[in-house]
Amino acid sequence: MLAPERRTRADIQAAVAIAVVVVIAIALVWVYSDARRTVSEPAAQAATAPVTATALPQQLRELWHQPDEATTRALASGGVAITGSGGTVTGRDPRTGEQLWKYQRDIPLCGVESQFGTVVATYRDQRGCSQTTLLAADTGARRTARSSYMDDRVKLSVDGTYTLALGPDRLEMWRSDLVRTLEYGYVDAPVNVRTQPRKDCALLSGASSTTRLAVLERCPGETADRLTVLNPAPKDNSVPEEYGSHVLTEPGAVSDKARVIAVSDNRIALYLPGTDTEAPQFAIYDQNANSVAVHRLTAPLTDDIMTTRVGSAFLVFTGNSVIALNTTTFDPVWTASDALGTPALLAGQLLMPVADGLAVVDPATGAQTTRIPVSRAEYHGEPISLAVIGNTVLERRGGDLYALG
């Protein structure tokens, strides 16, 4: 039996060794942790949303511009202009462009979106666009985060209830707190593979509403694209619930240019580019993917199709015009020509980007009543997305966000 003093000395040596290992482990965790590689600089106080403008401006000039290549549209929320570039999401004063808050990581952004006074920022790591953080739009404070396997590229979109993260092989729907409500397509968990209705389909396009998710997909062995309508929040997020799914038979349903352009709770609108002998069309379906109407178009749309919601209206930018869809039937209501992008509402009127500035458009009829001159330096014909904060107009074009006032 060892002497008590020798046993005590051995215990001390063991304790020191354990302490050293723990310190080394903590240091390694810190070195490789997300926290060490993240810079969060929230605002000292929340931004105040400016008063809604009641009159149209007579003229507009550029106030500032900043890089914004990680978004797909002009983002404004909580009285803040939001930009995404590199690995940084920045909340900016809409009048000066000065930084109000910043959230930065040392990995690249896949996309940035905003709704409900929050900002959704998705980053790419070794598992794809798998790291997502939710920020308060008015302060930049971190609300929550999620991590899951995703594709190397995703497109983020919002519908007023959910966020859709759509990649070429899989998609996820997230609640306002980033909790996943649905995964669809390729899954890496073997137990979940058997819950998917089809295998190895390419996800071409998708959009959602509060009760419907429409996905255009191309599946092995099928002769055309398939339209699938899903519950965006089924009982089990790993078990999709289909309201309807069928291979399309309309002309142009085998083209990579086909797109889901609008989704409501009872209607889905697809753009189908037609064929050499058939005109392109808007194909309208009900909430269960049954065809209800076809609207022929006079010319194919460009690859720059964008849809925006202004109030309850769906406005589709075709590449050279804006088409307003009836909110109930999705029938085209009016067309405004010479457009360069999607409109935004200011003082009860639509502002639509055109070559020499902003056209003022009656939201009920599409009639252009006047124009506000805007000089756009270094503009090369890219689609323009508009947003409004108070009496400041934001234009996203060419990977930059411009403020006009």
Side-chain angles (χ1 to χ4, degrees), residues 375-390:
S375 176
R376 298 185 178 99
E378 301 181 2
Y379 176 63
H380 304 291
E382 308 91 348
I384 297 173
S385 168
L386 297 186
V388 172
I389 303 179

Side-chain angles (χ1 to χ4, degrees), residues 230-252:
L230 300 158
N231 183 346
K235 294 179 180 179
D236 185 334
N237 68 64
S238 64
V239 183
E241 295 177 7
E242 291 185 351
Y243 292 117
S245 181
H246 65 86
V247 176
L248 300 176
T249 59
E250 293 85 352

Side-chain angles (χ1 to χ4, degrees), residues 119-337:
V119 177
V120 178
T122 296
Y123 290 84
R124 182 183 299 109
D125 63 10
Q126 68 276 10
R127 301 193 327 170
C129 296
S130 66
Q131 300 282 338
T132 299
T133 301
L134 186 71
L135 307 169
D138 57 355
T139 65
R142 183 180 177 277
R143 292 273 185 86
T144 188
R146 67 165 291 106
S147 177
S148 60
Y149 169 84
M150 292 297 290
D151 290 326
D152 286 336
R153 55 185 174 86
V154 298
K155 179 181 179 182
L156 300 179
S157 60
V158 295
D159 60 30
T161 299
Y162 302 105
T163 299
L164 167 62
L166 174 69
D169 297 316
R170 67 176 270 116
L171 66 80
E172 289 192 355
M173 299 292 296
W174 304 326
R175 285 187 337 207
S176 59
D177 56 2
L178 293 188
V179 170
R180 184 175 68 194
T181 62
L182 173 67
E183 67 171 344
Y184 182 76
Y186 175 81
V187 294
D188 60 346
V191 67
N192 290 340
V193 172
R194 294 188 294 273
T195 68
Q196 298 295 312
R198 285 163 293 280
K199 187 178 179 182
D200 298 330
C201 297
L203 308 184
L204 307 177
S205 179
S208 59
S209 72
T210 57
T211 65
R212 292 294 186 272
L213 166 64
V215 181
L216 201 58
E217 53 188 329
R218 181 84 51 77
C219 298
E222 297 182 346
T223 58
D225 297 342
R226 171 182 287 270
L227 172 63
T228 300
V229 180
L230 300 158
N231 183 346
K235 294 179 180 179
D236 185 334
N237 68 64
S238 64
V239 183
E241 295 177 7
E242 291 185 351
Y243 292 117
S245 181
H246 65 86
V247 176
L248 300 176
T249 59
E250 293 85 352
V254 293
S255 171
D256 291 337
K257 295 183 181 295
R259 294 288 184 272
V260 181
I261 59 173
V263 177
S264 70
D265 291 343
N266 60 5
R267 285 291 185 271
I268 294 123
L270 301 184
Y271 166 66
L272 301 176
T275 65
D276 293 339
T277 58
E278 295 284 347
Q281 61 184 243
F282 284 166
I284 314 300
Y285 302 84
D286 68 11
Q287 67 269 35
N288 298 318
N290 300 309
S291 177
V292 294
V294 171
H295 300 285
R296 307 290 179 185
L297 301 173
T298 57
L301 306 190
T302 71
D303 293 337
D304 299 323
I305 303 172
M306 296 189 295
T307 302
T308 188
R309 292 193 67 173
V310 177
S312 59
F314 288 86
L315 303 175
V316 183
F317 172 61
T318 70
N320 55 25
S321 62
V322 169
I323 299 176
L325 303 182
N326 179 282
T327 56
T328 302
T329 64
F330 278 0
D331 295 335
V333 177
W334 53 256
T335 300
S337 59

Side-chain angles (χ1 to χ4, degrees), residues 73-90:
R73 63 187 183 101
L75 296 180
S77 183
V80 175
I82 299 154
T83 59
S85 180
T88 304
V89 183
T90 307

Side-chain angles (χ1 to χ4, degrees), residues 74-126:
L75 296 180
S77 183
V80 175
I82 299 154
T83 59
S85 180
T88 304
V89 183
T90 307
R92 300 185 182 277
D93 183 297
R95 297 297 296 181
T96 67
E98 293 181 359
Q99 175 187 311
L100 300 177
W101 56 259
K102 179 175 78 172
Y103 183 83
Q104 182 179 35
R105 299 188 63 178
D106 69 344
I107 50 180
L109 277 163
C110 292
V112 183
E113 254 298 348
S114 178
Q115 69 174 345
F116 299 128
T118 63
V119 177
V120 178
T122 296
Y123 290 84
R124 182 183 299 109
D125 63 10
Q126 68 276 10

